[in-house]
């Protein structure tokens, strides 16, 4: 009984890991958006409709900032469909072969 009581008190006294302060993402982003600097960006989004039907969108690039805000950007996007999504689109005559081929 004493062991259970001591273990319970230890949990009350110990600082939980969640209580550690984490950096604020908004503050971190604002500190990176400085006039005359560029920021590299990378983003991936996956939309899953279930039953193997999904697509993934990747975004990579750079954004430059000037006195008035964003002044330049160079980004590229890549959209990838699952095999099940490609075949479903072809069955519905909503797909052509050309968009599935890699292009510059």
């Amino acid at each position: 009984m004493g062991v259970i009581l001591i273990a319970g008190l230890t949990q009350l006294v110990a600082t939980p890991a969640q209580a550690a302060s984490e950096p604020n993402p908004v503050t971190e982003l604002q500190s990176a958006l400085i006039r005359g600097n560029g920021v590299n960006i990378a983003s991936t989004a996956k939309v899953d409709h279930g039953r193997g039907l999904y697509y993934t969108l990747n975004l990579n690039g750079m954004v430059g900032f000037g006195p008035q805000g964003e002044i330049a950007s160079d980004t590229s996007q890549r959209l990838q469909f699952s095999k099940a999504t490609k075949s479903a689109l072809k069955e519905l005559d909503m797909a052509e072969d050309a968009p599935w081929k890699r292009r510059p």
Side-chain angles (χ1 to χ4, degrees), residues 45-57 80 82 84-85:
K46 181 177 180 180
V47 178
D48 192 345
H49 296 284
R51 299 183 319 266
L53 301 171
Y54 66 88
Y55 61 91
T56 307
L57 177 64
Q80 295 176 308
S82 67
T85 303

Side-chain angles (χ1 to χ4, degrees), residues 29 33 38-44 58-63 65 70 73-76:
L29 181 60
L33 304 180
V39 177
N40 292 326
I41 55 174
S43 168
T44 301
N58 297 314
L59 172 72
N60 293 306
M62 185 277 274
V63 178
F65 295 92
E70 180 185 339
S73 65
D74 182 16
T75 61
S76 64

Side-chain angles (χ1 to χ4, degrees), residues 7 12 24 31 50 52 54 79 86 95:
L12 291 175
N24 183 348
S31 67
Y54 66 88
L79 183 62
K86 287 180 189 179

